[in-house]
């Protein structure tokens, strides 16, 4: 039985925060899920699984209306799922007994780090390092919130100048802080080794690279790509750190294929 089970739409870089942390710490993490479209036909539960057509009819009492990312969709969430996941969203993680729910990707990543803290100190070596890591994670939430609105708007064809401007500002603030933290030539955000702050950075930046596939859409609307061709020169330390992390043995299985696919879209 896995120490953590995660249910989510896939692929999802925010789920990979926990799987990357788990590789560092030797924690057993099970991931279940499918594409966002396919999750409409899944039972949302600790024992999440695809539903047969006849089951969908018999479980109609569990139907709930989806929100963020699945707005308006009919989703089948069990009472146990809602008890463990009060906001009803994914990624949704569960402890080994299926009773304790953990939500929000940074918290799920923290759980993996805490479960394996004896094997690798991903959450800092003392209270000060742990608190500085929390600072980076808190800042990432602001970046993640605004960029999620932007990416969903791009996906839904509803992006406008205001949403674009907000995401552009969020990226500039986040990237500037990361650049400063890595100066003059640091190889980790906190202390002398990789922490969950670095994992969070890599996952959020990889997710934001989905903008690469929307270049033509932005051009038609007269909007510039936030990750424009010259952005690496503006934040060289951050992008060099990101490149190192993507090649790291514990990041590479999740992030490298995903990042390479998005970079290919940027070059097209």
């Amino acid at each position: 039985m896995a120490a953590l089970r995660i249910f989510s739409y896939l692929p999802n870089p925010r789920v990979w925060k926990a799987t990357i942390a788990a590789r560092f710490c030797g924690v057993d993490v099970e991931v279940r899920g499918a594409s966002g479209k396919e999750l409409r036909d899944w039972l949302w539960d600790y024992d999440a699984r695809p539903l047969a057509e006849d089951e969908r009819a018999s479980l109609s009492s569990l139907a709930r209306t989806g929100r963020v990312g699945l707005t308006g969709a009919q989703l089948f969430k069990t009472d146990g799922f809602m008890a463990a996941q009060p906001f009803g969203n994914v990624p949704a993680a569960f402890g080994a007994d299926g009773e304790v729910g953990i939500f929000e990707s940074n918290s799920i990543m923290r759980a993996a780090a805490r479960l394996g803290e004896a094997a690798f100190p991903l959450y800092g070596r003392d209270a000060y390092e742990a608190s500085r890591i929390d600072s980076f994670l808190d800042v990432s939430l602001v970046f993640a919130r605004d960029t999620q609105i932007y990416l969903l708007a791009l996906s839904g064809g509803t992006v406008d100048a205001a949403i674009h401007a907000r995401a552009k500002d969020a990226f500039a603030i986040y990237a500037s802080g990361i650049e400063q933290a890595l100066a003059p030539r640091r190889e980790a955000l906190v202390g002398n080794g990789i922490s969950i702050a670095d994992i969070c950075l890599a996952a959020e930046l990889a997710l934001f690279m989905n903008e690469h596939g929307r270049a033509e859409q932005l051009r038609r609307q007269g909007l510039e790509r936030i990750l424009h061709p010259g952005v690496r020169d503006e934040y060289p330390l951050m992008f060099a750190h990101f490149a190192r992390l993507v090649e790291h043995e514990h990041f590479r299985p999740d992030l490298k294929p995903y990042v390479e696919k998005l970079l290919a879209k940027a070059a097209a």
Side-chain angles (χ1 to χ4, degrees), residues 5-25:
R5 178 181 292 176
I6 304 173
F7 171 55
S8 176
Y9 64 86
L10 301 173
N12 184 351
R14 288 179 175 153
V15 167
W16 298 336
K17 295 177 184 178
T19 56
I20 293 167
R23 289 191 194 97
F24 276 96
C25 299

Side-chain angles (χ1 to χ4, degrees), residues 146-211:
D146 288 342
T147 54
Q148 177 162 298
I149 292 170
Y150 177 58
L151 293 174
L152 287 174
L154 282 172
S155 176
T158 59
V159 71
D160 58 25
I163 293 173
H164 178 270
R166 187 170 173 179
K168 185 177 180 180
D169 286 346
F171 174 76
I173 292 168
Y174 185 61
S176 296
I178 297 297
E179 191 76 4
Q180 177 64 37
L182 292 170
R185 291 189 178 279
R186 293 177 51 79
E187 296 198 350
L189 288 174
V190 179
N192 297 317
I194 289 174
S195 72
I196 54 176
D198 301 284
I199 296 173
C200 181
L201 164 68
E204 292 296 342
L205 195 52
L207 183 61
F208 191 52
M209 289 174 65
N210 277 283
E211 188 201 45

